[in-house]
Amino acid sequence: MTSTVPALGTRTAEGSALQAVLLDMDGTLVDTEGFWWDVEVEIFAGLGHALDDSWRHVVVGGPMTRSAGFLIEATGADITLAELTELLNEGFEDRIDHALPLMPGAARLLAELHEHAIPTALVSASHRRIIDRVLSTLGPHHFALSIAGDEVTRTKPFPDPYLLAAAGLGAEPDRCAVVEDTATGVAAAEAAGCRVVAVPSIAPITPAEGRTVVTSLEEVDLAFLRGLMTEMR
């Protein structure tokens, strides 16, 4: 999904230098990280393999090729990467067709960014077929564009998705605020040179230079994101 990119008019009377906001999807806006793990457990159980719960931290937040490949290698399951990818997408789609819970604060943040005409992009390692289904719940009007994991040569943890999103919005990466929930996503955003707000979902993330860690999106609003840019001065 790509819609018209709004004019880059985010400098206000307060002097904010925020040019765009780039948002991760699973675990950040929608409470679905657990969905992926449940599907993985179910599929591998059908193949005669039990997944070790410690592997959950390995596969969270990464591209499907990495997580699926890891699970195949770790279990020795008799399934190809292409076959597993299809089963994972189908299983996830079935779950979000029944329920798609938003993370606390997500609806309010999206509404505020839209109200103030802040250029906003959805940047996910999930495939396009998944993103488009989720967008129907999040509201496609909230995003000027979206980047899917199967639309880039290198997805997270590489910076490519965030660099592509910033370019698509006509923004400088270091004037973009990124909101992420996993170490993989944080690594991608920081490699792109963006300012990062981490809202950990499964595994903890430590604060660092250029990175702010919060416990919930309830703590994040437009003033907060603009403040990240002010700190750069």
Side-chain angles (χ1 to χ4, degrees):
M1 163 266 177
T2 302
S3 60
T4 303
V5 177
L8 193 64
T10 60
R11 284 189 180 271
T12 66
E14 301 91 59
S16 170
L18 177 68
Q19 293 182 343
V21 176
L22 315 178
L23 301 165
D24 174 54
M25 188 177 76
D26 294 300
T28 298
L29 293 177
V30 289
D31 192 6
T32 51
E33 289 290 11
F35 285 11
W36 285 112
W37 180 248
D38 290 345
V39 171
E40 289 160 351
V41 168
E42 182 179 289
I43 290 171
F44 278 89
L47 296 170
H49 298 275
L51 299 188
D52 190 312
D53 196 60
S54 66
W55 296 344
R56 186 174 184 179
H57 288 192
V58 179
V59 302
V60 68
M64 190 175 295
T65 51
R66 187 195 74 183
S67 57
F70 169 82
L71 292 174
I72 291 172
E73 182 176 353
T75 61
D78 184 19
I79 189 171
T80 67
L81 182 59
E83 290 169 339
L84 180 56
T85 296
E86 181 63 21
L87 290 175
L88 288 171
N89 278 326
E90 288 179 356
F92 185 81
E93 287 173 340
D94 181 65
R95 277 166 170 74
I96 64 175
D97 282 346
H98 288 86
L100 184 58
L102 301 188
M103 298 298 287
R108 186 263 315 149
L109 177 60
L110 289 174
E112 183 180 17
L113 295 175
H114 182 68
E115 178 185 357
H116 291 272
I118 304 299
T120 302
L122 187 66
V123 183
S124 176
S126 290
H127 290 185
R128 170 55 57 188
R129 61 188 280 186
I130 300 297
I131 287 181
D132 285 346
R133 283 188 179 235
V134 174
L135 277 171
S136 66
T137 295
L138 291 177
H141 62 284
H142 287 126
F143 304 95
L145 59 85
S146 59
I147 306 294
D150 57 339
E151 295 174 339
V152 291
T153 302
R154 302 188 307 172
T155 188
K156 305 173 186 179
F158 294 99
D160 306 36
Y162 282 113
L163 292 173
L164 184 60
L169 295 177
E172 302 167 30
D174 65 352
R175 294 300 179 182
C176 293
V178 169
V179 185
E180 272 281 0
D181 73 302
T182 67
T184 299
V186 167
E190 291 180 343
C194 303
R195 302 289 286 188
V196 179
V197 179
V199 192
S201 61
I202 302 296
I205 299 173
T206 57
E209 184 178 353
R211 178 196 312 167
T212 302
V213 180
V214 299
T215 59
S216 168
L217 281 184
E218 298 280 14
E219 301 174 46
V220 181
D221 58 15
L222 182 53
F224 179 94
L225 296 174
R226 283 176 168 159
L228 299 178
M229 301 299 123
T230 302
E231 292 171 7
M232 295 173 57
R233 295 176 164 185

